[in-house]
Amino acid sequence: MNKQLVAIITASFFMLLILAGCQEQPPVEENPKTDMSQNGKQNELKPETKKPVNVVIKRTAARKWSEILASGHINAVKLDWKLESALPRAGSTGAYHTTLLQNFADTRGLKLKWHRVNNLADMFKKLSAFEVDIIPRHLTITTNRLDKYSFTYPLLRDKEVVIAKSGKQDFNEDDDNNISLPIGSAYIESVSKQYPHWQVNIIEEHVSSQEMADSVAAGLTKYTVIDGFALETLKQYRDDIQSVFTLPKAINLAWAVNLNNDTFLHELNEFISVHHVMQMIEPERTIDFKQLRKDKLPLRVITRNSPETYFLWRGELLGFEYELMRKFADIHKVKLVIVVADSYEEMLELLAEGKGDIIAAGLSRTKARTKQITKAKLTTSIRYNRVKEQLVAHQDSAQINELTDLKGRTITIRKSSSFWATAQRLAKDFGANIVLANEDIATEILIAQVADKEIDLTIADSNLIAIESSFRSQIITPLTFKEDVPYSYLVRQNNPQLLAYLNEFVRKYYRGTFYNVVKNKYFYNERLQKSHNKYRLVSGSILSPYDDIVRSHVQPYNFDWRLIVSQMYQESRFDPIASNSTGAFGLMQMLPRTAAELGVKDLKDPEQAIASGVQYLDWTRDRFSKDLPVQEQIFFSLASYNAGYGHVKDAQRLARQLGLRSDRWFNNVEKAMLLLQRRQYYNKARFGYVRGREPVNYVRDIHQRYLSYIRITD
């Protein structure tokens, strides 16, 4: 055991029921669920047995490397439908491990088959039962674990830290400190060995560092222990916790495989050794691109968390700037790390200080900015995009046909905006009134305020207007002030190699097939919710062409079939080949990745599409079943289906902070969801920016239609 330790130091969702016969069946809940009856009231429903499945033969030994090769795939485990535990703001351990293991599989010609569980303890159970080949995440190598598992070469050398609520804290290592730790965590062994006089309070739940930090911040727990790397991740978006003590003994974090699975372990270690993949919190650096690649360091891209650039939706990392930079990183075979900044000024500061390598944030190259960029010893790439600078108005407002029509009209805009100079000219030359917007209000929020008639006018670029127009049919652009406004990347002046490679990338891909596909995906994909009269309803009529299919699939989950039909109409207008810009497809607009993990092979098939949607909605409902009244579960489930579970949890936390009820959707959590569009709130949200208006309207529309369906079918 000790020899192995020395050698190492030196070198989900539990699957819901799938279409019959695909997976093991989860146990039926002992307590009956409650659902809405046909008159909209709650009905207590008896739990129903889900569809029978084939018996799975349990393995009695780990798969050796030869068996893995022969099968063509690696069985790996990760947590519950979450590609990310939070929006990656400066690297991400979740994305890091997923990408790294995928790289390993690619080099060996293998595919990855992901198994999902609810917590770390279940990961180890899967490994011990030989259901998976590997746990690819940062696991602390401890003496107790080495008795049961083998570990790869370390991927991170770290320290463990004691955290407490922010504020004045007097922590003395010699005191009999009370430390709360989740059951089964490696921290229990660390504390017991290094500080046996500390009192350890075991939390009888397998909870994450994020959840322990929540408990500390809420004052429910005084002290807990987490990894230093985890603390750095948490500090990227929260300021309610702090480190009060660092345990002196360093720890090594690595992947785990079954004990004595030496052939598989050898392949993994060889890959780790060759690729030098030790992860670390990077210091400031300003080296140029060739040295970066030689040292196998990540490319750090500075950007904004916004619908134009980089955001998280249903567990998928998306954004025009993000996809272009991911392509650039893939071409040059470097790891991509996203660094999120709160403002234009912060972006320049981060780049100048060596905390990032490129700014890719949809920045227009104006004369005023060029002077500021040069002064900061930065430089710009050639143009990689161009937009128009346009006026945004409500379609019902007084007509604006020429610049003189702006006299007496009010334009709301941020002073830091690149459109500020234009606004000043309109005020001086044409009598427009200028109102300063708060600096934390993003341009997309100003556009929304125009659509809602909260403000008169604003100015925005055509790309962002195109995004917002796909959700808001009320806005128009009566005037264009500038054509062909160039967007450029920014790098340091002492990085000419990186600048040259970026310019080469732009010349090769600008307006090419890849570029146009990505641009159309975000800025020109038509998503307007148009009314359809094809399925106009009268009392007693069929709700959809798929009523019978829906009825057959909702029974095991105790959903009212009319609710699912209402949701299906919202998602696809009953079009079995409907698609959207993010890749969601079919009647229930499932992402192909999600559908594949549910065992669904053909989203064009109505039966499979509906089955996958019902199963996924059931999963989202189960996430809330412990802390929400039954009558609210449906609303929170629908919001999660639309925007993602993480964004809804952020809205619940924000609702509590605002004194609203976190267990009520309407007029409570939905209000917080709307605020997560504003920088001052989403900067401190775990999952970052969300287009809050969309899930709010989504839930309201489905609910109202559902009530109509009840009246029609009664």
Side-chain angles (χ1 to χ4, degrees):
M1 177 187 68
N2 291 333
K3 289 183 179 179
Q4 186 183 6
L5 179 59
V6 172
I8 291 172
I9 292 175
T10 56
S12 111
F13 181 56
F14 54 83
M15 285 298 246
L16 292 169
L17 179 66
I18 314 299
L19 298 176
C22 289
Q23 292 288 341
E24 292 183 2
Q25 179 180 337
V28 178
E29 293 183 5
E30 295 180 0
N31 298 322
K33 290 185 178 178
T34 307
D35 201 1
M36 299 180 192
S37 65
Q38 292 189 0
N39 60 11
K41 297 180 180 179
Q42 292 180 30
N43 245 355
E44 188 169 85
L45 303 175
K46 295 181 180 179
E48 300 188 32
T49 304
K50 299 189 179 184
K51 296 181 181 180
V53 296
N54 295 335
V55 176
V56 177
I57 299 174
K58 293 185 177 296
R59 293 187 60 87
T60 58
R63 299 198 311 161
K64 303 299 181 184
W65 179 241
S66 57
E67 189 176 351
I68 292 172
L69 277 178
S71 71
H73 69 271
I74 298 170
N75 287 315
V77 63
K78 61 180 172 181
L79 294 178
D80 228 6
W81 291 100
K82 297 175 185 133
L83 288 179
E84 299 295 337
S85 60
L87 175 79
R89 287 169 163 86
S92 164
T93 54
Y96 172 79
H97 296 297
T98 300
T99 302
L100 189 59
L101 186 61
Q102 185 65 62
N103 289 344
F104 170 77
D106 291 343
T107 61
R108 269 62 175 178
L110 298 169
K111 296 185 180 299
L112 293 181
K113 285 192 176 180
W114 290 103
H115 299 244
R116 295 185 178 272
V117 295
N118 292 320
N119 54 58
L120 181 59
D122 287 345
M123 286 184 165
F124 281 113
K125 288 178 183 177
K126 283 271 189 187
L127 188 63
S128 298
F130 312 115
E131 295 175 26
V132 297
D133 306 309
I134 186 171
I135 304 177
R137 64 180 285 119
H138 280 156
L139 299 171
T140 305
I141 303 171
T142 67
T143 303
N144 289 339
R145 284 178 175 174
L146 282 168
D147 288 336
K148 303 174 184 177
Y149 310 100
S150 292
F151 289 86
T152 64
Y153 292 154
L155 298 169
L156 176 68
R157 188 167 175 82
D158 202 2
K159 289 287 187 75
E160 294 165 319
V161 296
V162 179
I163 64 169
K165 186 176 182 178
S166 289
K168 187 176 180 180
Q169 297 286 346
D170 296 321
F171 185 91
N172 190 322
E173 63 182 294
D174 296 324
D175 292 343
D176 294 333
N177 298 298
N178 191 305
I179 311 292
S180 297
L181 299 171
I183 189 171
S185 74
Y187 309 123
I188 297 173
E189 185 175 338
S190 295
V191 170
S192 299
K193 286 186 174 181
Q194 298 181 63
Y195 295 94
H197 62 285
W198 289 1
Q199 299 174 29
V200 176
N201 175 37
I202 303 296
I203 306 297
E204 296 296 326
E205 289 184 84
H206 298 283
V207 295
S208 66
S209 297
Q210 166 73 32
E211 291 165 318
M212 289 304 299
D214 288 342
S215 179
V216 167
L220 303 175
T221 299
K222 188 170 185 181
Y223 301 120
T224 192
V225 176
I226 62 175
D227 297 341
F229 198 91
L231 176 62
E232 290 301 316
T233 300
L234 293 174
K235 284 167 61 179
Q236 291 166 17
Y237 61 91
R238 61 190 303 169
D239 54 11
D240 53 359
I241 56 171
Q242 64 179 340
S243 171
V244 294
F245 182 72
T246 300
L247 276 65
K249 187 177 179 181
I251 57 171
N252 289 286
L253 304 174
W255 293 346
V257 299
N258 280 107
L259 196 63
N260 300 322
N261 194 353
D262 296 335
T263 55
F264 185 31
L265 190 63
H266 171 76
E267 292 292 327
L268 292 167
N269 284 339
E270 185 179 71
F271 173 80
I272 291 170
S273 297
V274 169
H275 291 271
H276 305 294
V277 294
M278 177 72 77
Q279 190 179 23
M280 63 190 69
I281 300 168
E282 281 199 280
E284 298 167 2
R285 59 170 165 84
T286 58
I287 59 175
D288 211 346
F289 197 51
K290 289 182 180 178
Q291 188 65 43
L292 180 149
R293 289 195 297 176
K294 181 180 178 181
D295 294 342
K296 300 187 183 299
L297 295 171
L299 178 70
R300 302 162 304 168
V301 173
I302 302 167
T303 191
R304 296 176 296 127
N305 179 205
S306 78
E308 264 188 300
T309 54
Y310 172 69
F311 61 98
L312 188 66
W313 184 82
R314 291 192 187 179
E316 296 281 351
L317 289 173
L318 299 167
F320 177 67
E321 303 293 345
Y322 172 69
E323 291 210 34
L324 291 182
M325 285 293 95
R326 190 174 61 181
K327 178 73 170 179
F328 178 77
D330 288 345
I331 290 170
H332 295 288
K333 296 181 171 55
V334 294
K335 178 190 168 190
L336 178 66
V337 167
I338 297 295
V339 178
V340 174
D342 295 338
S343 65
Y344 171 68
E345 289 72 19
E346 186 185 1
M347 290 184 208
L348 298 185
E349 185 178 319
L350 289 171
L351 184 59
E353 291 178 352
K355 295 177 180 177
D357 304 305
I358 301 171
I359 297 177
L363 296 182
S364 55
R365 194 173 59 202
T366 64
K367 290 182 179 180
R369 282 183 171 175
T370 300
K371 291 180 181 178
Q372 187 180 13
I373 289 166
T374 303
K375 185 177 180 180
K377 297 184 178 179
L378 308 176
T379 188
T380 60
S381 71
I382 61 175
R383 180 187 67 197
Y384 71 90
N385 191 14
R386 59 182 179 181
V387 296
K388 299 175 183 178
E389 187 177 285
Q390 296 180 308
L391 184 72
V392 182
H394 193 282
Q395 62 181 4
D396 296 334
S397 64
Q399 278 193 345
I400 299 174
N401 297 315
E402 53 190 32
L403 291 171
T404 54
D405 293 334
L406 291 174
K407 185 175 183 179
R409 301 294 293 269
T410 301
I411 301 173
T412 304
I413 196 163
R414 296 189 317 276
K415 191 170 185 178
S416 64
S417 166
S418 62
F419 315 120
W420 177 249
T422 299
Q424 292 294 95
R425 181 175 62 85
L426 296 175
K428 180 181 178 181
D429 297 344
F430 300 100
N433 300 316
I434 306 300
V435 172
L436 277 175
N438 192 302
E439 284 297 322
D440 76 323
I441 300 180
T443 304
E444 57 266 23
I445 301 300
L446 295 176
I447 295 174
Q449 290 177 348
V450 171
D452 295 336
K453 296 185 177 180
E454 295 175 15
I455 62 175
D456 186 17
L457 305 168
T458 192
I459 303 173
D461 70 61
S462 54
N463 274 354
L464 185 57
I465 293 170
I467 293 176
E468 295 303 314
S469 294
S470 67
F471 295 93
R472 305 176 185 281
S473 58
Q474 309 98 324
I475 61 173
I476 57 174
T477 54
L479 296 176
T480 295
F481 302 124
K482 293 180 183 177
E483 300 273 0
D484 295 335
V485 178
Y487 277 5
S488 299
Y489 300 122
L490 271 66
V491 299
R492 287 177 292 275
Q493 290 177 0
N494 62 352
N495 285 172
Q497 295 166 359
L498 179 55
L499 180 63
Y501 280 110
L502 279 171
N503 287 338
E504 179 186 3
F505 173 74
V506 173
R507 291 188 186 99
K508 182 174 181 179
Y509 288 97
Y510 181 51
R511 292 189 170 183
T513 301
F514 168 78
Y515 178 91
N516 286 332
V517 167
V518 174
K519 189 166 185 177
N520 289 337
K521 173 179 177 178
Y522 291 102
F523 305 127
Y524 301 113
N525 192 282
E526 186 64 45
R527 293 189 59 198
L528 287 175
Q529 300 296 307
K530 298 176 181 176
S531 60
H532 286 211
N533 294 320
K534 184 176 180 180
Y535 298 107
R536 190 164 161 267
L537 302 174
V538 295
S539 182
S541 70
I542 294 172
L543 299 183
S544 80
Y546 310 105
D547 290 357
D548 290 341
I549 297 176
V550 174
R551 284 192 185 96
S552 69
H553 283 284
V554 297
Q555 291 178 0
Y557 303 101
N558 296 327
F559 284 123
D560 187 322
W561 68 276
R562 294 163 296 189
L563 175 76
I564 303 302
V565 173
S566 178
Q567 184 188 14
M568 190 194 316
Y569 180 84
Q570 190 76 17
E571 290 286 356
S572 66
R573 299 300 193 264
F574 305 142
D575 180 359
I577 59 171
S579 63
N580 73 17
S581 61
T582 60
F585 189 87
L587 288 169
M588 300 297 286
Q589 290 294 277
M590 292 294 293
L591 290 168
R593 170 189 57 80
T594 304
E597 291 176 2
L598 285 169
V600 174
K601 297 180 179 179
D602 185 8
L603 284 172
K604 294 179 182 178
D605 175 30
E607 181 108 17
Q608 294 187 55
I610 292 168
S612 66
V614 172
Q615 290 171 64
Y616 186 66
L617 186 64
D618 181 62
W619 175 80
T620 63
R621 178 175 61 182
D622 283 348
R623 301 311 93 190
F624 297 104
S625 60
K626 292 181 181 179
D627 56 9
L628 281 181
V630 174
Q631 65 269 23
E632 294 291 326
Q633 290 180 13
I634 292 297
F635 304 136
F636 282 84
S637 302
L638 290 170
S640 296
Y641 192 106
N642 176 259
Y645 172 74
H647 290 305
V648 178
K649 294 301 289 184
D650 277 345
Q652 283 185 292
R653 292 188 190 97
L654 179 56
R656 286 192 290 269
Q657 294 169 12
L658 297 172
L660 300 170
R661 294 196 59 166
S662 62
D663 61 348
R664 294 288 186 272
W665 175 258
F666 289 120
N667 298 314
N668 285 274
V669 176
E670 69 170 355
K671 289 183 177 179
M673 182 66 79
L674 291 172
L675 290 175
L676 287 174
Q677 299 176 121
R678 300 183 65 164
R679 187 181 300 138
Q680 71 181 95
Y681 296 106
Y682 71 68
N683 277 351
K684 295 181 180 180
R686 186 178 177 188
F687 289 83
Y689 173 88
V690 61
R691 188 185 298 280
R693 178 66 63 182
E694 192 174 355
V696 166
N697 289 344
Y698 183 85
V699 174
R700 283 189 176 273
D701 290 349
I702 291 173
H703 180 56
Q704 291 300 317
R705 190 180 303 108
Y706 169 63
L707 295 178
S708 298
Y709 285 176
I710 289 173
R711 290 192 294 270
I712 289 168
T713 54
D714 272 350

